[in-house]
Amino acid sequence: LQPIAFALSRIINKDLVLSGYKVPAKTAVMIGNYIMSRDESIFTNPNQYMPERWLRGNRQGFKGDSRFQYLPFGFGPRMCLGKRVAEMEMHSIIAKLILEYEIKTMNPSENPLISRLVMAPQDDMQIALHDL
C-alpha cells in the first residue's frame, strides 16, 4: 500500500496497444504503483492495513490472480537490483522486532505520503517499542 516509488517509467521499444489505445514506439509510459495499490478492483479494502494480505499462499485481500497487481520493485530486466537484499533485510528486521517488542505508532493522526523522488511520510514517524 505504500510503494517506495510513486510510479515507474519506461520507454516502449515497439508499437503496442494498451487498454485499446495505440501507443507508438519510443513513447514514455508510466506504471502508477501508488494508484495501483489503491485500486478496489484489485484489492479488498485497499486503504486498510492488512499485513496478512502479503503472506505467501494467502490471497485474502486480493480480488485477482495476477502477479502484476503490485510491483514495488518493478519487473523484468529493469527490476530493482536490490529486491532480494531488501526483502531479506525486511524479513529479518521485522521478525526480530515482533519477537521482542510491541510496536505502536504515536502519530496523533494518519501520516500521509508525499513524493520526494521516493514516497515518504509527510511528517516524522513517531514509533514506540515496548518490551514484551
Side-chain angles (χ1 to χ4, degrees):
L1 292 177
Q2 310 296 355
I4 296 297
F6 179 80
L8 300 172
S9 63
R10 297 289 186 263
I11 297 175
I12 57 174
N13 59 5
K14 61 182 177 179
D15 295 348
L16 60 88
V17 177
L18 289 173
S19 297
Y21 294 94
K22 294 179 183 176
V23 183
K26 299 184 181 176
T27 299
V29 296
M30 301 288 286
I31 301 166
N33 289 339
Y34 188 81
I35 294 167
M36 284 173 54
S37 67
R38 284 162 176 68
D39 187 340
E40 291 183 356
S41 71
I42 297 172
F43 298 104
T44 304
N45 303 317
N47 294 312
Q48 182 179 350
Y49 178 68
M50 295 174 62
E52 64 275 8
R53 176 186 331 255
W54 310 111
L55 294 174
R56 286 193 178 135
N58 180 15
R59 297 305 296 171
Q60 181 181 349
F62 286 96
K63 291 184 178 177
D65 199 27
S66 172
R67 63 183 176 159
F68 299 107
Q69 292 172 324
Y70 185 67
L71 299 169
F73 296 98
F75 184 80
R78 293 192 58 207
M79 177 176 65
C80 176
L81 293 173
K83 177 183 178 183
R84 298 282 185 238
V85 173
E87 289 176 336
M88 188 172 54
E89 286 181 346
M90 285 188 296
H91 291 158
S92 297
I93 291 168
I94 290 170
K96 288 179 182 179
L97 286 173
I98 62 175
L99 287 173
E100 297 183 23
Y101 301 100
E102 177 184 9
I103 305 168
K104 291 188 177 184
T105 59
M106 305 304 288
N107 293 73
S109 61
E110 186 173 331
N111 194 355
L113 292 179
I114 58 172
S115 180
R116 294 183 180 149
L117 183 59
V118 296
M119 300 302 289
Q122 180 174 311
D123 301 314
D124 290 340
M125 290 298 299
Q126 301 170 18
I127 299 173
L129 301 176
H130 301 284
D131 288 327
L132 290 177

